Amino acid sequence: MIETYDFLVVCTAAAITAIILLSVLARGNDRPAGRHHPRQDVEPAISVLLKDDMIVDATDETRDLMAGKNITWHDLVASLRARFPSLPDHVPRERQLFSSAKPDDDGYIEVDKVGSRMRLTLCDRPASSADLHQLRSAQSELDLLRVALGKAPNPIWKSDSKNRTDWSNNAYDTLTASVESYQPGAPIFDVPSNGLEHMRTRRTCLTSARGDAQRWFDITSAQHGASWLHFGIDVTAVVRAEIAQRNFVQTLTKTFAYLPIGLAIFDRNRQLALFNPALIDLTQLSAEFLSGRPNLLSFFDRLREGRMMPEPKNYHGWREQMADLVAAASDDRYSETWSLASGLTYKVTGRPHPDGAIAFLFEDISAEISLTRRFRSELELSQCVIDTLDDAIAIFSQNGVLSFSNTAYRTLWKSDPDSSFAEMTVVDATRQWQELCHPSPMWGELRDFVVQGHDRAAWEMRVTHRNGSQILCQITPVSGGSTLVSFACETPTLPIRQLDTQSV
């Protein structure tokens, strides 16, 4: 009887043990696959009991985590989602397991139904001394990173897959105070979180609550799992500088639009950066071609094809000439006159500009060249006319400089003023005259008359050449304060052209 009773006790104990083992194995098979979870011999530290979305009971460790406050499911998930991102926004209505996001983390969360309520339990293996050491080392590093990110001067924040801000640093929080009607969690920058790019950068504007100031930021977004990390850089000063530069360029463009001189500015990459309408008129290049920002060689090549520059002897030599042209313009040494087949004459000047740019000025000087040629032709004609006169002619400017003389003058006085680089003044000329004539007190009066600026009237004087001939000297004021001095020989048988044979 006793043996039978003992046998039943042993069988009953064996059955109970088998049931417990099967139950443990069954619960172990329900855990997330691919992770090894050691046996839990102690009460879980994090465990809460929920009714609907409110926490009605929790362990002491959980209350410490919640700082003694009754929080909702949403607040609890916000504190656990960094480790368990798969937690839903609402309390599950049936048993579910949620794994950690890291492969080497064997912790998991179990949400199970207890009557009409749901219980959340964080299951973790007991911490060893090594685990505590690594945790505290990581905590020290985490504190340093928190301080560094928190005090960073630029805004940094993290958003979830629904573009809600779930973490931000102090700089970002300061910016939220300047946004009108800011809602917690709502983004203050127009940076959509959807897209296929792993990392992207865009520029966006943040307007103050009063709408009287704008701040510009370059936002760089990097994808991190289902979330996005955003890094902002304040580029307000850069944007304002770009706007000021653009306005300045527009002002210059409007100013250059009224200049008759063609302007072409090439940047450091030798591409056309700026031109004015006069360049189109002078070069006959189309606005479409110039707006396409051609490079320097293409620009001059098009001028050569349109015969708007002197035709080179050969194309290879022209390419070398263009290289020399750029080098000369960079050193402020390029200035040439182009005589075109059409009869036009251009003055082309190259000037260096800041940041390695080069500016070319195209000026139509056809009228000036024509006027100069006409003036030179008239001077040559006048010179030929007075050279046929027997009287010696000398014209002095208002400053007393000899500006004009004829062949008879050079013959009479044995002097050629055009052969000297130095200017001949009235003092130099009268000194030569005195050397070839007998003394006369009239030379000083002639010098004073030439430089006298007012109250002048024509007068004459006679001097005697050392060869014995009498010379009539007539002094006549002319326009512009100049003075004409003519010398006529009064000896009928001795013309001035023959005085060189009778000189002393």
Side-chain angles (χ1 to χ4, degrees):
M1 184 70 179
I2 296 176
E3 292 179 357
T4 301
Y5 177 76
D6 292 338
F7 177 77
L8 291 175
V9 170
V10 172
C11 290
T12 302
I16 294 174
T17 303
I19 292 173
I20 294 175
L21 290 175
L22 289 174
S23 176
V24 171
L25 290 175
R27 292 182 62 85
N29 291 333
D30 290 338
R31 294 176 181 177
R35 297 181 184 271
H36 173 70
H37 298 279
R39 178 184 174 188
Q40 300 284 343
D41 295 330
V42 296
E43 182 71 17
I46 304 298
S47 181
V48 296
L49 193 63
L50 301 110
K51 183 178 182 181
D52 295 331
D53 283 346
M54 297 300 298
I55 297 177
V56 297
D57 194 11
T59 61
D60 294 338
E61 289 80 357
T62 307
R63 295 186 184 280
D64 294 338
L65 179 66
M66 296 186 299
K69 299 179 181 179
N70 292 327
I71 58 177
T72 63
W73 167 263
H74 176 74
D75 298 327
L76 181 63
V77 167
S79 62
L80 297 175
R81 185 167 276 168
R83 184 180 178 189
F84 304 96
S86 59
L87 286 173
D89 294 335
H90 300 284
V91 180
R93 297 307 175 185
E94 57 184 9
R95 183 174 181 270
Q96 291 187 24
L97 300 178
F98 304 95
S99 303
S100 171
K102 297 182 178 181
D104 57 348
D105 186 358
D106 57 2
Y108 67 96
I109 287 180
E110 178 185 19
V111 179
D112 198 0
K113 190 172 183 179
V114 180
S116 62
R117 301 176 181 181
M118 300 299 293
R119 180 175 62 187
L120 180 146
T121 304
L122 174 59
C123 302
D124 238 332
R125 65 181 177 84
S128 63
S129 299
D131 295 333
L132 293 176
H133 174 72
Q134 293 178 357
L135 177 63
R136 287 165 182 165
S137 299
Q139 185 65 40
S140 299
E141 183 178 359
L142 178 61
D143 293 341
L144 177 61
L145 294 177
R146 284 177 175 174
V147 172
L149 293 178
K151 294 186 177 181
N154 297 322
I156 303 174
W157 71 100
K158 184 172 77 71
S159 61
D160 57 17
S161 58
K162 297 182 179 180
N163 203 21
R164 296 176 303 182
T165 303
D166 51 18
W167 176 87
S168 59
N169 66 346
N170 296 337
Y172 182 88
D173 296 338
T174 302
L175 291 176
T176 59
S178 63
V179 178
E180 185 178 5
S181 302
Y182 170 71
Q183 299 295 330
I188 63 174
F189 293 101
D190 184 17
V191 182
S193 59
N194 56 353
L196 301 177
E197 306 96 338
H198 176 69
M199 179 174 290
R200 57 175 179 236
T201 300
R202 66 175 60 197
R203 180 167 293 180
T204 184
C205 177
L206 184 66
T207 305
S208 64
R210 295 179 297 178
D212 57 351
Q214 290 183 337
R215 296 181 64 180
W216 290 87
F217 291 84
D218 279 348
I219 308 299
T220 301
S221 302
Q223 193 171 11
H224 178 69
S227 303
W228 284 85
L229 293 174
H230 308 279
F231 307 88
I233 300 178
D234 191 343
V235 292
T236 304
V238 176
V239 172
R240 290 176 179 174
E242 291 176 350
I243 294 175
Q245 182 184 19
R246 186 162 52 249
N247 293 337
F248 180 69
V249 171
Q250 292 177 354
T251 302
L252 289 180
T253 303
K254 294 179 181 179
T255 303
F256 294 151
Y258 299 99
L259 291 179
I261 300 176
L263 175 66
I265 299 180
F266 295 86
D267 58 20
R268 64 188 308 172
N269 297 323
R270 299 299 178 260
Q271 285 186 314
L272 184 62
L274 181 66
F275 66 93
N276 65 342
L279 184 69
I280 300 176
D281 298 334
L282 294 175
T283 62
Q284 303 299 317
L285 297 177
S286 64
E288 292 78 10
F289 172 73
L290 296 176
S291 300
R293 300 190 63 194
N295 58 37
L296 189 142
L297 290 179
S298 299
F299 175 82
F300 282 99
D301 198 10
R302 185 66 65 91
L303 289 181
R304 183 186 61 84
E305 292 176 358
R307 304 186 68 182
M308 297 306 298
M309 67 178 298
E311 184 67 24
K313 295 181 180 180
N314 59 81
Y315 188 77
H316 180 71
W318 178 80
R319 285 285 179 173
E320 295 180 353
Q321 181 183 358
M322 287 298 100
D324 296 338
L325 180 148
V326 174
S330 301
D331 296 336
D332 199 8
R333 293 183 291 104
Y334 182 76
S335 181
E336 288 188 359
T337 300
W338 290 359
S339 297
L340 306 182
S342 60
L344 297 175
T345 303
Y346 287 174
K347 180 181 179 182
V348 183
T349 307
R351 293 286 183 267
H353 266 234
D355 199 23
I358 297 178
F360 287 95
L361 305 176
F362 296 82
E363 183 179 1
D364 186 357
I365 59 173
S366 302
E368 298 178 13
I369 294 297
S370 177
L371 180 61
T372 301
R373 290 172 180 172
R374 188 181 306 113
F375 181 70
R376 185 181 296 112
S377 177
E378 293 177 356
L379 286 179
E380 293 175 354
L381 178 60
S382 300
Q383 183 70 49
C384 292
V385 170
I386 68 170
D387 281 344
T388 61
L389 300 178
D390 290 334
D391 293 345
I393 301 296
I395 300 178
F396 295 92
S397 66
Q398 188 177 8
N399 297 328
V401 177
L402 181 63
S403 57
F404 206 77
S405 63
N406 63 350
T407 303
Y409 175 89
R410 292 188 288 271
T411 302
L412 174 62
W413 302 115
K414 304 300 181 183
S415 173
D416 186 5
D418 296 335
S419 63
S420 175
F421 290 103
E423 294 180 340
M424 177 175 288
T425 64
V426 66
V427 176
D428 301 327
T430 53
R431 185 178 294 116
Q432 291 180 355
W433 302 342
Q434 285 177 289
E435 292 177 355
L436 297 178
C437 296
H438 293 291
S440 173
M442 305 299 293
W443 298 117
E445 296 180 9
L446 190 150
R447 285 191 291 264
D448 295 338
F449 181 85
V450 169
V451 297
Q452 185 178 354
H454 54 85
D455 299 334
R456 300 199 309 164
W459 59 285
E460 60 183 26
M461 59 179 253
R462 284 178 171 81
V463 294
T464 303
H465 199 276
R466 290 190 181 276
N467 60 9
S469 61
Q470 296 292 321
I471 299 176
L472 176 62
C473 179
Q474 294 180 330
I475 300 94
T476 306
V478 293
S479 62
S482 300
T483 304
L484 184 147
V485 181
S486 63
F487 303 91
C489 183
E490 293 185 337
T491 303
T493 58
L494 190 62
I496 291 178
R497 293 180 181 276
Q498 298 177 8
L499 287 178
D500 56 339
T501 62
Q502 303 293 334
S503 59
V504 177

